[in-house]
Amino acid sequence: MPTNVFPASPKGHRDPRLVARKKALLQTPDMKPLTEFAQKVAGERKADVPLFDPASGGVKSKVLLLLESPGPETGRAASGLHSLDNEDPTAVNTFTALKESGLARSACLSWNIVPWYLKGHAPTPADLRAAVPYLVELLRILKELKAVVVLGTPAGTGWNLSGRGYGLKVFNAPHPAPHSINRDRATRWPQLVEAFRQAAEAIK
């Protein structure tokens, strides 16, 4: 991907020019299968689904960062992208921890175990079961994937339902949302950074 879609600091989507540069890349060979996949999920679920961020490894990603479900900053009224450059605190924490760990964003793809917007509630067991086929489909698209960082309990539950048996290295970490990290920041923040660091080692 062009280097000008990887900002040096969090909340990059405050600049609409960055969002525009990214959206111009959604149909490139590295992104088109992912864009079509997200649009397919939206159509089948009849729900809002953010698009994948071109500031990533695209279909050549080596590491999948698996979170919970989209937040409001991913909606069409905001960036419309599932991105570490959104302005919400979860994106800021993920951006910062990734940078601290040394894991390159260009090697990663960030996504949610439940890819559609849940309108303010955590994923239910039914949501997670419904999401299983979509994670399986995504893993088939990511042919160069080597590792998964599972962020938080819902993502872990969903991964256990759908993601085993792929020969991937799996690293578990707290969800990067402030309400998760700040419960015991002295312990949980280093766990988050260490999971990213281990994923970086796994793809060397």
Short mmCIF file of all heavy atoms in Angstrom, two decimals, residues 5-58:
data_model
loop_
_atom_site.label_atom_id
_atom_site.label_comp_id
_atom_site.label_asym_id
_atom_site.label_seq_id
_atom_site.Cartn_x
_atom_site.Cartn_y
_atom_site.Cartn_z
N VAL A 5 -0.95 6.43 3.43
CA VAL A 5 -2.19 6.07 4.14
C VAL A 5 -1.90 5.55 5.54
O VAL A 5 -2.82 5.12 6.25
CB VAL A 5 -3.03 5.03 3.35
CG1 VAL A 5 -3.50 5.63 2.04
CG2 VAL A 5 -2.27 3.73 3.13
N PHE A 6 -0.64 5.58 5.96
CA PHE A 6 -0.25 5.14 7.31
C PHE A 6 0.17 6.36 8.12
O PHE A 6 1.33 6.76 8.08
CB PHE A 6 0.90 4.14 7.23
CG PHE A 6 0.55 2.82 6.62
CD1 PHE A 6 0.74 2.60 5.26
CD2 PHE A 6 0.04 1.78 7.39
CE1 PHE A 6 0.42 1.39 4.69
CE2 PHE A 6 -0.28 0.56 6.82
CZ PHE A 6 -0.09 0.36 5.46
N PRO A 7 -0.73 6.98 8.87
CA PRO A 7 -0.35 8.18 9.63
C PRO A 7 0.59 7.84 10.78
O PRO A 7 0.63 6.71 11.27
CB PRO A 7 -1.69 8.71 10.15
CG PRO A 7 -2.58 7.52 10.18
CD PRO A 7 -2.15 6.63 9.05
N ALA A 8 1.32 8.85 11.22
CA ALA A 8 2.32 8.66 12.27
C ALA A 8 1.73 8.72 13.67
O ALA A 8 2.38 8.30 14.63
CB ALA A 8 3.42 9.71 12.14
N SER A 9 0.51 9.22 13.80
CA SER A 9 -0.10 9.36 15.13
C SER A 9 -1.57 8.96 15.06
O SER A 9 -2.16 8.88 13.97
CB SER A 9 0.06 10.79 15.63
OG SER A 9 -0.49 11.71 14.71
N PRO A 10 -2.18 8.69 16.21
CA PRO A 10 -3.58 8.25 16.21
C PRO A 10 -4.55 9.33 15.70
O PRO A 10 -4.18 10.48 15.50
CB PRO A 10 -3.86 7.94 17.69
CG PRO A 10 -2.51 7.81 18.33
CD PRO A 10 -1.60 8.69 17.56
N LYS A 11 -5.80 8.89 15.50
CA LYS A 11 -6.90 9.75 15.07
C LYS A 11 -6.66 10.38 13.71
O LYS A 11 -7.10 11.50 13.42
CB LYS A 11 -7.18 10.84 16.13
CG LYS A 11 -7.54 10.27 17.50
CD LYS A 11 -7.93 11.37 18.47
CE LYS A 11 -8.28 10.81 19.84
NZ LYS A 11 -8.71 11.85 20.79
N GLY A 12 -5.99 9.63 12.84
CA GLY A 12 -5.68 10.15 11.51
C GLY A 12 -6.90 10.51 10.69
O GLY A 12 -6.82 11.36 9.79
N HIS A 13 -8.03 9.88 10.99
CA HIS A 13 -9.24 10.15 10.22
C HIS A 13 -9.87 11.51 10.52
O HIS A 13 -10.88 11.87 9.92
CB HIS A 13 -10.26 9.03 10.41
CG HIS A 13 -9.89 7.79 9.69
ND1 HIS A 13 -10.54 6.59 9.87
CD2 HIS A 13 -8.92 7.55 8.75
CE1 HIS A 13 -9.99 5.67 9.09
NE2 HIS A 13 -9.01 6.23 8.42
N ARG A 14 -9.25 12.27 11.41
CA ARG A 14 -9.67 13.67 11.55
C ARG A 14 -9.42 14.44 10.25
O ARG A 14 -10.04 15.46 10.01
CB ARG A 14 -8.90 14.34 12.70
CG ARG A 14 -9.37 13.91 14.08
CD ARG A 14 -8.57 14.60 15.16
NE ARG A 14 -9.18 14.38 16.47
CZ ARG A 14 -8.63 14.78 17.62
NH1 ARG A 14 -7.47 15.40 17.61
NH2 ARG A 14 -9.24 14.54 18.77
N ASP A 15 -8.49 13.93 9.46
CA ASP A 15 -8.17 14.54 8.16
C ASP A 15 -8.97 13.84 7.08
O ASP A 15 -8.69 12.68 6.74
CB ASP A 15 -6.67 14.42 7.89
CG ASP A 15 -6.25 15.12 6.60
OD1 ASP A 15 -7.14 15.55 5.83
OD2 ASP A 15 -5.04 15.22 6.36
N PRO A 16 -9.99 14.48 6.52
CA PRO A 16 -10.80 13.81 5.51
C PRO A 16 -10.02 13.43 4.27
O PRO A 16 -10.43 12.53 3.53
CB PRO A 16 -11.90 14.85 5.20
CG PRO A 16 -11.36 16.16 5.65
CD PRO A 16 -10.44 15.84 6.80
N ARG A 17 -8.88 14.09 4.04
CA ARG A 17 -8.07 13.73 2.88
C ARG A 17 -7.48 12.33 3.03
O ARG A 17 -7.33 11.61 2.04
CB ARG A 17 -6.94 14.76 2.68
CG ARG A 17 -7.45 16.15 2.32
CD ARG A 17 -6.34 17.18 2.38
NE ARG A 17 -5.79 17.28 3.73
CZ ARG A 17 -4.78 18.08 4.06
NH1 ARG A 17 -4.22 18.87 3.14
NH2 ARG A 17 -4.33 18.12 5.32
N LEU A 18 -7.15 11.93 4.26
CA LEU A 18 -6.65 10.58 4.49
C LEU A 18 -7.75 9.55 4.21
O LEU A 18 -7.50 8.53 3.55
CB LEU A 18 -6.16 10.43 5.93
CG LEU A 18 -5.73 9.01 6.34
CD1 LEU A 18 -4.55 8.53 5.49
CD2 LEU A 18 -5.37 8.95 7.82
N VAL A 19 -8.95 9.81 4.68
CA VAL A 19 -10.07 8.90 4.42
C VAL A 19 -10.30 8.78 2.92
O VAL A 19 -10.50 7.67 2.39
CB VAL A 19 -11.34 9.37 5.14
CG1 VAL A 19 -12.51 8.45 4.82
CG2 VAL A 19 -11.11 9.44 6.65
N ALA A 20 -10.23 9.89 2.21
CA ALA A 20 -10.43 9.87 0.76
C ALA A 20 -9.34 9.07 0.06
O ALA A 20 -9.64 8.31 -0.88
CB ALA A 20 -10.48 11.30 0.22
N ARG A 21 -8.09 9.22 0.49
CA ARG A 21 -7.00 8.44 -0.12
C ARG A 21 -7.22 6.95 0.08
O ARG A 21 -6.99 6.14 -0.82
CB ARG A 21 -5.64 8.85 0.48
CG ARG A 21 -5.14 10.19 0.01
CD ARG A 21 -3.65 10.36 0.26
NE ARG A 21 -3.27 10.28 1.65
CZ ARG A 21 -3.23 11.33 2.49
NH1 ARG A 21 -3.58 12.53 2.05
NH2 ARG A 21 -2.84 11.18 3.74
N LYS A 22 -7.67 6.60 1.29
CA LYS A 22 -7.92 5.18 1.56
C LYS A 22 -9.05 4.64 0.70
O LYS A 22 -8.95 3.55 0.11
CB LYS A 22 -8.24 4.99 3.04
CG LYS A 22 -7.07 5.19 3.97
CD LYS A 22 -7.48 4.89 5.41
CE LYS A 22 -6.32 5.00 6.37
NZ LYS A 22 -6.68 4.58 7.73
N LYS A 23 -10.14 5.39 0.61
CA LYS A 23 -11.30 4.89 -0.14
C LYS A 23 -10.98 4.73 -1.63
O LYS A 23 -11.58 3.88 -2.30
CB LYS A 23 -12.49 5.79 0.10
CG LYS A 23 -13.03 5.64 1.51
CD LYS A 23 -14.32 6.40 1.76
CE LYS A 23 -14.87 6.08 3.15
NZ LYS A 23 -16.12 6.82 3.43
N ALA A 24 -10.02 5.50 -2.11
CA ALA A 24 -9.60 5.35 -3.50
C ALA A 24 -8.86 4.04 -3.75
O ALA A 24 -8.67 3.65 -4.90
CB ALA A 24 -8.71 6.54 -3.90
N LEU A 25 -8.46 3.37 -2.67
CA LEU A 25 -7.70 2.11 -2.78
C LEU A 25 -8.55 0.87 -2.57
O LEU A 25 -8.04 -0.25 -2.65
CB LEU A 25 -6.56 2.11 -1.74
CG LEU A 25 -5.51 3.20 -1.90
CD1 LEU A 25 -4.59 3.22 -0.68
CD2 LEU A 25 -4.68 3.00 -3.17
N LEU A 26 -9.84 1.03 -2.32
CA LEU A 26 -10.67 -0.12 -1.92
C LEU A 26 -10.87 -1.14 -3.03
O LEU A 26 -11.25 -2.28 -2.76
CB LEU A 26 -12.04 0.38 -1.42
CG LEU A 26 -12.00 1.09 -0.07
CD1 LEU A 26 -13.35 1.73 0.24
CD2 LEU A 26 -11.60 0.12 1.05
N GLN A 27 -10.61 -0.75 -4.28
CA GLN A 27 -10.78 -1.68 -5.40
C GLN A 27 -9.44 -2.13 -5.99
O GLN A 27 -9.41 -2.74 -7.06
CB GLN A 27 -11.65 -1.04 -6.49
CG GLN A 27 -13.06 -0.71 -6.04
CD GLN A 27 -13.84 -1.93 -5.59
OE1 GLN A 27 -13.71 -3.03 -6.15
NE2 GLN A 27 -14.67 -1.78 -4.56
N THR A 28 -8.34 -1.86 -5.30
CA THR A 28 -7.04 -2.35 -5.76
C THR A 28 -6.97 -3.87 -5.55
O THR A 28 -7.74 -4.44 -4.77
CB THR A 28 -5.89 -1.68 -4.99
OG1 THR A 28 -6.04 -1.98 -3.59
CG2 THR A 28 -5.89 -0.17 -5.20
N PRO A 29 -6.07 -4.57 -6.24
CA PRO A 29 -6.02 -6.03 -6.12
C PRO A 29 -5.87 -6.55 -4.70
O PRO A 29 -6.43 -7.59 -4.35
CB PRO A 29 -4.80 -6.41 -6.98
CG PRO A 29 -4.73 -5.33 -8.01
CD PRO A 29 -5.15 -4.08 -7.29
N ASP A 30 -5.14 -5.82 -3.85
CA ASP A 30 -4.95 -6.27 -2.47
C ASP A 30 -6.16 -6.03 -1.59
O ASP A 30 -6.26 -6.59 -0.49
CB ASP A 30 -3.74 -5.57 -1.84
CG ASP A 30 -2.42 -6.15 -2.33
OD1 ASP A 30 -2.44 -7.21 -2.99
OD2 ASP A 30 -1.36 -5.55 -2.05
N MET A 31 -7.08 -5.19 -2.05
CA MET A 31 -8.24 -4.83 -1.22
C MET A 31 -9.57 -5.30 -1.78
O MET A 31 -10.52 -5.52 -1.02
CB MET A 31 -8.29 -3.31 -1.02
CG MET A 31 -7.19 -2.74 -0.15
SD MET A 31 -7.15 -3.46 1.53
CE MET A 31 -8.79 -3.06 2.12
N LYS A 32 -9.69 -5.46 -3.08
CA LYS A 32 -10.99 -5.74 -3.69
C LYS A 32 -11.68 -6.98 -3.11
O LYS A 32 -12.88 -6.93 -2.80
CB LYS A 32 -10.84 -5.89 -5.21
CG LYS A 32 -12.18 -6.03 -5.92
CD LYS A 32 -12.01 -6.06 -7.42
CE LYS A 32 -13.36 -6.19 -8.11
NZ LYS A 32 -13.22 -6.22 -9.59
N PRO A 33 -10.97 -8.12 -2.91
CA PRO A 33 -11.67 -9.27 -2.32
C PRO A 33 -12.22 -8.98 -0.92
O PRO A 33 -13.29 -9.50 -0.56
CB PRO A 33 -10.59 -10.36 -2.28
CG PRO A 33 -9.59 -9.95 -3.32
CD PRO A 33 -9.59 -8.46 -3.28
N LEU A 34 -11.51 -8.16 -0.16
CA LEU A 34 -11.97 -7.81 1.19
C LEU A 34 -13.14 -6.84 1.14
O LEU A 34 -14.09 -6.96 1.93
CB LEU A 34 -10.81 -7.21 1.99
CG LEU A 34 -9.64 -8.17 2.25
CD1 LEU A 34 -8.45 -7.41 2.82
CD2 LEU A 34 -10.05 -9.30 3.18
N THR A 35 -13.09 -5.89 0.22
CA THR A 35 -14.20 -4.96 0.06
C THR A 35 -15.47 -5.72 -0.34
O THR A 35 -16.56 -5.50 0.22
CB THR A 35 -13.85 -3.91 -1.01
OG1 THR A 35 -12.68 -3.18 -0.57
CG2 THR A 35 -14.99 -2.92 -1.22
N GLU A 36 -15.33 -6.63 -1.29
CA GLU A 36 -16.48 -7.41 -1.74
C GLU A 36 -17.01 -8.31 -0.63
O GLU A 36 -18.22 -8.50 -0.50
CB GLU A 36 -16.10 -8.23 -2.97
CG GLU A 36 -15.84 -7.35 -4.20
CD GLU A 36 -15.37 -8.16 -5.40
OE1 GLU A 36 -14.98 -9.34 -5.23
OE2 GLU A 36 -15.38 -7.59 -6.53
N PHE A 37 -16.11 -8.84 0.19
CA PHE A 37 -16.52 -9.68 1.31
C PHE A 37 -17.35 -8.88 2.31
O PHE A 37 -18.42 -9.30 2.74
CB PHE A 37 -15.28 -10.28 1.99
CG PHE A 37 -15.55 -10.91 3.32
CD1 PHE A 37 -16.20 -12.13 3.42
CD2 PHE A 37 -15.14 -10.29 4.49
CE1 PHE A 37 -16.46 -12.72 4.66
CE2 PHE A 37 -15.38 -10.86 5.73
CZ PHE A 37 -16.04 -12.08 5.81
N ALA A 38 -16.87 -7.69 2.67
CA ALA A 38 -17.60 -6.85 3.64
C ALA A 38 -18.96 -6.46 3.08
O ALA A 38 -19.97 -6.45 3.81
CB ALA A 38 -16.78 -5.61 3.98
N GLN A 39 -19.02 -6.14 1.80
CA GLN A 39 -20.30 -5.78 1.18
C GLN A 39 -21.25 -6.97 1.14
O GLN A 39 -22.47 -6.81 1.31
CB GLN A 39 -20.04 -5.23 -0.23
CG GLN A 39 -19.34 -3.87 -0.20
CD GLN A 39 -18.83 -3.43 -1.55
OE1 GLN A 39 -18.60 -4.26 -2.45
NE2 GLN A 39 -18.64 -2.13 -1.72
N LYS A 40 -20.71 -8.15 0.94
CA LYS A 40 -21.53 -9.37 0.95
C LYS A 40 -22.14 -9.59 2.34
O LYS A 40 -23.33 -9.89 2.47
CB LYS A 40 -20.69 -10.58 0.56
CG LYS A 40 -21.41 -11.91 0.73
CD LYS A 40 -20.45 -13.08 0.55
CE LYS A 40 -21.11 -14.38 0.98
NZ LYS A 40 -20.21 -15.53 0.89
N VAL A 41 -21.32 -9.44 3.39
CA VAL A 41 -21.83 -9.59 4.75
C VAL A 41 -22.95 -8.58 5.02
O VAL A 41 -24.01 -8.93 5.57
CB VAL A 41 -20.70 -9.43 5.79
CG1 VAL A 41 -21.25 -9.54 7.21
CG2 VAL A 41 -19.61 -10.47 5.58
N ALA A 42 -22.74 -7.34 4.61
CA ALA A 42 -23.75 -6.31 4.82
C ALA A 42 -25.05 -6.67 4.12
O ALA A 42 -26.14 -6.51 4.69
CB ALA A 42 -23.23 -4.96 4.31
N GLY A 43 -24.94 -7.18 2.90
CA GLY A 43 -26.14 -7.55 2.16
C GLY A 43 -26.88 -8.72 2.78
O GLY A 43 -28.11 -8.71 2.90
N GLU A 44 -26.12 -9.73 3.20
CA GLU A 44 -26.75 -10.92 3.78
C GLU A 44 -27.36 -10.64 5.15
O GLU A 44 -28.41 -11.19 5.49
CB GLU A 44 -25.73 -12.06 3.86
CG GLU A 44 -25.33 -12.60 2.50
CD GLU A 44 -24.38 -13.76 2.57
OE1 GLU A 44 -23.95 -14.15 3.68
OE2 GLU A 44 -24.03 -14.30 1.50
N ARG A 45 -26.70 -9.81 5.93
CA ARG A 45 -27.18 -9.51 7.28
C ARG A 45 -28.15 -8.33 7.30
O ARG A 45 -28.76 -8.07 8.34
CB ARG A 45 -26.01 -9.21 8.21
CG ARG A 45 -25.03 -10.35 8.37
CD ARG A 45 -25.65 -11.57 8.98
NE ARG A 45 -26.31 -11.30 10.25
CZ ARG A 45 -26.95 -12.20 10.97
NH1 ARG A 45 -27.03 -13.45 10.53
NH2 ARG A 45 -27.53 -11.87 12.11
N LYS A 46 -28.25 -7.63 6.16
CA LYS A 46 -29.09 -6.42 6.10
C LYS A 46 -28.72 -5.47 7.25
O LYS A 46 -29.57 -5.01 8.02
CB LYS A 46 -30.57 -6.78 6.12
CG LYS A 46 -31.01 -7.59 4.90
CD LYS A 46 -32.47 -7.93 4.94
CE LYS A 46 -32.93 -8.59 3.65
NZ LYS A 46 -32.13 -9.77 3.26
N ALA A 47 -27.43 -5.22 7.35
CA ALA A 47 -26.89 -4.42 8.45
C ALA A 47 -25.71 -3.61 7.95
O ALA A 47 -25.12 -3.92 6.91
CB ALA A 47 -26.46 -5.32 9.60
N ASP A 48 -25.35 -2.58 8.70
CA ASP A 48 -24.15 -1.80 8.39
C ASP A 48 -22.91 -2.62 8.74
O ASP A 48 -22.80 -3.16 9.85
CB ASP A 48 -24.14 -0.50 9.19
CG ASP A 48 -25.11 0.53 8.63
OD1 ASP A 48 -25.49 0.41 7.45
OD2 ASP A 48 -25.49 1.45 9.37
N VAL A 49 -22.00 -2.69 7.80
CA VAL A 49 -20.71 -3.37 8.01
C VAL A 49 -19.62 -2.43 7.50
O VAL A 49 -19.64 -2.05 6.32
CB VAL A 49 -20.65 -4.71 7.25
CG1 VAL A 49 -19.25 -5.32 7.36
CG2 VAL A 49 -21.70 -5.67 7.77
N PRO A 50 -18.68 -2.02 8.35
CA PRO A 50 -17.60 -1.16 7.86
C PRO A 50 -16.71 -1.93 6.89
O PRO A 50 -16.65 -3.16 6.91
CB PRO A 50 -16.83 -0.80 9.14
CG PRO A 50 -17.15 -1.90 10.09
CD PRO A 50 -18.54 -2.34 9.78
N LEU A 51 -16.01 -1.19 6.05
CA LEU A 51 -15.08 -1.79 5.10
C LEU A 51 -13.71 -1.95 5.75
O LEU A 51 -13.37 -1.27 6.71
CB LEU A 51 -14.99 -0.92 3.85
CG LEU A 51 -16.30 -0.74 3.08
CD1 LEU A 51 -16.10 0.22 1.91
CD2 LEU A 51 -16.87 -2.07 2.61
N PHE A 52 -12.91 -2.84 5.21
CA PHE A 52 -11.55 -3.04 5.68
C PHE A 52 -10.70 -1.81 5.35
O PHE A 52 -10.92 -1.13 4.35
CB PHE A 52 -10.93 -4.26 5.01
CG PHE A 52 -11.50 -5.57 5.46
CD1 PHE A 52 -12.63 -6.10 4.84
CD2 PHE A 52 -10.91 -6.30 6.49
CE1 PHE A 52 -13.15 -7.32 5.24
CE2 PHE A 52 -11.43 -7.51 6.88
CZ PHE A 52 -12.55 -8.03 6.26
N ASP A 53 -9.70 -1.58 6.18
CA ASP A 53 -8.82 -0.42 6.05
C ASP A 53 -7.68 -0.72 5.08
O ASP A 53 -6.92 -1.67 5.30
CB ASP A 53 -8.26 -0.07 7.43
CG ASP A 53 -7.50 1.24 7.44
OD1 ASP A 53 -7.34 1.87 6.37
OD2 ASP A 53 -7.05 1.63 8.53
N PRO A 54 -7.53 0.07 4.01
CA PRO A 54 -6.37 -0.13 3.14
C PRO A 54 -5.02 0.13 3.83
O PRO A 54 -3.99 -0.30 3.29
CB PRO A 54 -6.61 0.89 2.00
CG PRO A 54 -8.08 1.06 1.97
CD PRO A 54 -8.49 1.01 3.42
N ALA A 55 -5.01 0.81 4.98
CA ALA A 55 -3.77 0.94 5.75
C ALA A 55 -3.54 -0.36 6.51
O ALA A 55 -3.70 -0.46 7.73
CB ALA A 55 -3.85 2.12 6.70
N SER A 56 -3.19 -1.39 5.75
CA SER A 56 -3.08 -2.75 6.29
C SER A 56 -2.28 -3.58 5.29
O SER A 56 -1.75 -3.05 4.31
CB SER A 56 -4.48 -3.36 6.45
OG SER A 56 -5.09 -3.54 5.17
N GLY A 57 -2.22 -4.88 5.53
CA GLY A 57 -1.60 -5.78 4.56
C GLY A 57 -2.57 -6.28 3.51
O GLY A 57 -2.17 -7.03 2.61
N GLY A 58 -3.85 -5.88 3.63
CA GLY A 58 -4.83 -6.36 2.67
C GLY A 58 -4.90 -7.88 2.64
O GLY A 58 -4.75 -8.53 3.67
#
